[in-house]
Amino acid sequence: MLTIQSLREDKEQIAAALDKRNIDVRQDLDQILLWDAERRSTQAKLDDLLAQSNALSREIGTFMREGKREEAEAVKVKTASFKEETVTLKDKMHGIEQQMHDVLCAIPNAPHSDVVAGRNAEDNVEVFRSGSAETLDRHTKPHWELAEEMDLIDFELGAKVTGAGFPFYKGKGAKLQRGLIQFFLQKADEAGYTEYIPPLMINAESGFGTGQLPDKEGQMYHMQNDELYMIPTGEVPLTNIYRDEMVKEGDLPIKLCGYTPCFRREAGSYGKDVRGLNRLHQFDKVEIVQLSRPNDSYALLDQMVDHIKELLEGLELPYRILRLCGGDMGFTAAMTYDFEVWSAAQERWLEVSSVSNFETYQASRLKCRYKGAEGKMHLVHTLNGSALALPRIVAALLENHQDENGIQMPKALAPFCGFDRIEA
RNA sequence: GGAGAGGUGGCCGAGUGGCUUAAGGCGCACGCUUGGAAAGCGUGUUUACCUGAAAGGGUAACCCGGGUUCGAAUCCCGGUCUCUCCA
């Protein structure tokens, strides 16, 4: 969340940045600052009261040790009024803090100055394009047809065993899946990311730390008997490794990666856009995460973008990179680049990666800090990106690399799959 | 699932309800010492918030949350995690 300190310093600048998300938070910010002032004066009163009452208690202790019971009893009488007032002030503090927290949690991150204002995906800015996004000059089949013909993916079986959006991968389809994961992890390893295999369920604290809770409660599968949530992305367990931790400045940037299945309820999704692999309840993803010093984070964001470019080039897929506009960015991000690959048969762009810098927004919830050389504590910046999400990559591979009687695997990928062609 | 033991600072480890933010040790930092190092000696070594220009002062925190008490690391209740044994 936004830090109270940044609001004190830069209220209008933050409000102006949030205008780009088409929300006006000025009233909220003013209210927060009023509460902040009230909180401070209440704290001062409370501390003073506690100091006095501590002094009395010490007096009582001294008398008791010296066996002066009567004197001790006399002082005890004096403490009664303090007690009542401290309880009142403590309640007041808690009330104020709770209100501030609730309002603060409901405010999304302030976009970076390079982020443009905009209403939705149409206002996103294309910053890079590779390959041509054209229909192949012959008939192309959509991936769901290819997958069925070549017996790679069974959607109906998944629907039977679990439900829609939970496909089975089969034979070369399964091997392709595994090959892609291995390819992505290998590249992440070469780029210096430490691999983790994290838990696939998280508790509420972790959900709050990265910002899924309370904002997106309905998007996660919730195990109510155990108060656990299925992860919607590897970002959650990976980033939460550093919740409530102080890291050494010299260890930054910290680079982690991990392969995980991801689970999303996708409530309300239906229709053409969700056909085949386009939108699933369970899908595989390799995630890369970084923790950095504030001054380095945008350079690292660029590095992550380059890393993902390399992956897509290895897969020989046409793609483009968009810098999201304010209205299309996720709640917690300060800047986001989306990667989209061209689907030759569906003739549309499919999002396969989203790379973001959260600046201190997650870190303030996570309480992840480092001590600077000058001895002061600072929140780290957190970043993450998909590198990459599998299903739409599979869709694009099938569609873009199909020929008369099969699908040709990109050279870079073939060794990881164990075959270079798929044929019916 | 059942029974028991336990969670103290970066680590180890003490702690009859008051003089304990916490002994002692290790580690770490700085200084002295030394030809250099080690040893030795000395000093320092958590975080959050409030206050202050700063130095400093105040408050809170001994797994988490409640409670008892003038006063809780210490007593009580609930939760959680770890270990041992049983199923």
Side-chain angles (χ1 to χ4, degrees):
Chain A
M1 59 192 144
L2 298 174
T3 62
I4 190 75
Q5 206 178 359
S6 68
L7 295 184
R8 284 186 204 144
E9 287 165 6
D10 262 338
K11 184 184 69 172
E12 181 46 38
Q13 193 188 320
I14 288 167
L18 281 161
D19 285 340
K20 291 194 270 191
R21 289 184 184 266
N22 315 306
I23 54 171
D24 185 357
V25 295
R26 285 176 180 76
Q27 279 199 330
D28 286 340
L29 299 191
D30 286 339
Q31 179 61 68
I32 289 168
L33 289 177
L34 282 178
W35 279 327
D36 182 45
E38 199 183 355
R39 190 195 107 249
R40 288 204 252 176
S41 69
T42 308
Q43 168 111 55
K45 269 188 238 164
L46 178 61
D47 285 356
D48 182 54
L49 214 56
L50 287 171
Q52 291 183 53
S53 116
N54 283 347
L56 289 179
S57 288
R58 249 174 272 129
E59 244 179 84
I60 294 172
T62 310
F63 284 134
M64 294 299 267
R65 246 174 291 117
E66 293 169 352
K68 298 178 180 167
R69 287 197 142 270
E70 281 185 23
E71 286 88 336
E73 288 303 323
V75 179
K76 266 196 206 184
V77 176
K78 284 201 261 177
T79 61
S81 64
F82 281 110
K83 186 152 202 206
E84 203 178 321
E85 205 176 338
T86 22
V87 170
T88 313
L89 284 177
K90 272 184 190 166
D91 286 349
K92 189 177 171 190
M93 280 289 284
H94 288 146
I96 295 170
E97 278 167 357
Q98 188 63 50
Q99 285 174 309
M100 283 176 72
H101 180 81
D102 289 349
V103 174
L104 217 42
C105 281
I107 300 175
N109 201 356
H112 183 273
S113 57
D114 287 352
V115 172
V116 300
R119 306 215 68 77
N120 51 41
E122 284 170 24
D123 296 322
N124 293 338
V125 181
E126 183 174 317
V127 294
F128 185 82
R129 185 182 286 224
S130 165
S132 64
E134 288 163 15
T135 319
L136 301 183
D137 52 3
R138 58 199 147 62
H139 175 68
T140 55
K141 293 176 182 167
H143 68 268
W144 51 85
E145 281 180 25
L146 295 165
E148 192 184 344
E149 281 173 20
M150 301 182 188
D151 206 13
L152 303 174
I153 304 171
D154 196 328
F155 292 98
E156 283 177 23
L157 187 58
K160 176 184 107 176
V161 172
T162 304
F166 293 91
F168 276 83
Y169 301 87
K170 191 178 166 191
K172 281 190 172 173
K175 289 192 171 75
L176 171 59
Q177 201 78 4
R178 224 159 20 85
L180 280 166
I181 292 164
Q182 187 59 28
F183 173 63
F184 295 151
L185 285 174
Q186 173 79 38
K187 292 292 178 188
D189 183 63
E190 285 166 11
Y193 293 89
T194 302
E195 183 182 348
Y196 284 79
I197 300 180
L200 304 182
M201 295 188 201
I202 47 118
N203 57 31
E205 289 75 25
S206 295
F208 176 77
T210 33
Q212 280 71 25
L213 294 175
D215 184 46
K216 296 181 194 157
E217 164 119 44
Q219 292 185 25
M220 289 190 287
Y221 287 98
H222 184 188
M223 248 56 56
Q224 283 172 330
N225 284 342
D226 303 288
E227 266 313 309
L228 295 172
Y229 298 83
M230 302 298 292
I231 59 169
T233 157
E235 160 194 355
V236 182
L238 289 175
T239 311
N240 272 283
I241 291 171
Y242 288 95
R243 173 156 52 82
D244 291 321
E245 296 292 334
M246 280 179 49
V247 298
K248 290 202 193 96
E249 184 177 19
D251 290 343
L252 297 172
I254 292 167
K255 302 169 80 174
L256 340 161
C257 70
Y259 151 69
T260 70
C262 302
F263 304 89
R264 298 187 182 177
R265 294 186 60 229
E266 303 292 358
S269 298
Y270 58 90
K272 174 163 157 277
D273 284 359
V274 306
R275 190 93 190 263
L277 294 170
N278 289 346
R279 191 172 294 281
L280 300 173
H281 287 305
Q282 177 181 330
F283 63 96
D284 293 313
K285 183 153 68 72
V286 170
E287 185 80 359
I288 53 177
V289 171
Q290 296 212 39
L291 277 64
S292 88
R293 299 192 306 181
N295 285 340
D296 303 335
S297 65
Y298 280 93
L300 295 173
L301 182 64
D302 290 344
Q303 263 181 34
M304 291 168 84
V305 166
D306 288 342
H307 177 79
I308 294 160
K309 273 167 133 176
E310 229 178 274
L311 299 179
L312 289 169
E313 270 149 34
L315 296 175
E316 299 168 32
L317 293 172
Y319 69 96
R320 65 176 185 174
I321 305 176
L322 306 171
R323 184 188 287 145
L324 299 192
C325 71
D328 203 31
M329 260 199 317
F331 195 79
T332 50
M335 186 188 285
T336 298
Y337 290 101
D338 269 10
F339 282 71
E340 299 182 332
V341 296
W342 180 249
S343 160
Q346 304 177 67
E347 296 191 318
R348 62 192 195 95
W349 294 100
L350 301 176
E351 182 198 326
V352 293
S353 176
S354 194
V355 199
S356 304
N357 187 349
F358 305 94
E359 298 187 0
T360 61
Y361 193 90
Q362 290 183 326
S364 73
R365 291 176 166 225
L366 293 161
K367 296 195 173 60
C368 178
R369 299 149 300 164
Y370 71 94
K371 190 181 277 188
E374 80 295 351
K376 277 193 184 169
M377 303 299 298
H378 304 279
L379 292 168
V380 302
H381 279 197
T382 59
L383 305 95
N384 69 49
S386 354
L388 287 162
L390 292 234
R392 294 176 191 155
I393 289 289
V394 170
L397 283 174
L398 299 184
E399 294 179 10
N400 286 280
H401 296 326
Q402 64 182 300
D403 52 38
E404 295 298 311
N405 48 13
I407 292 146
Q408 192 65 32
M409 292 291 108
K411 267 201 208 70
L413 180 63
F416 293 94
C417 296
F419 50 83
D420 55 12
R421 261 190 89 71
I422 301 175
E423 286 174 358

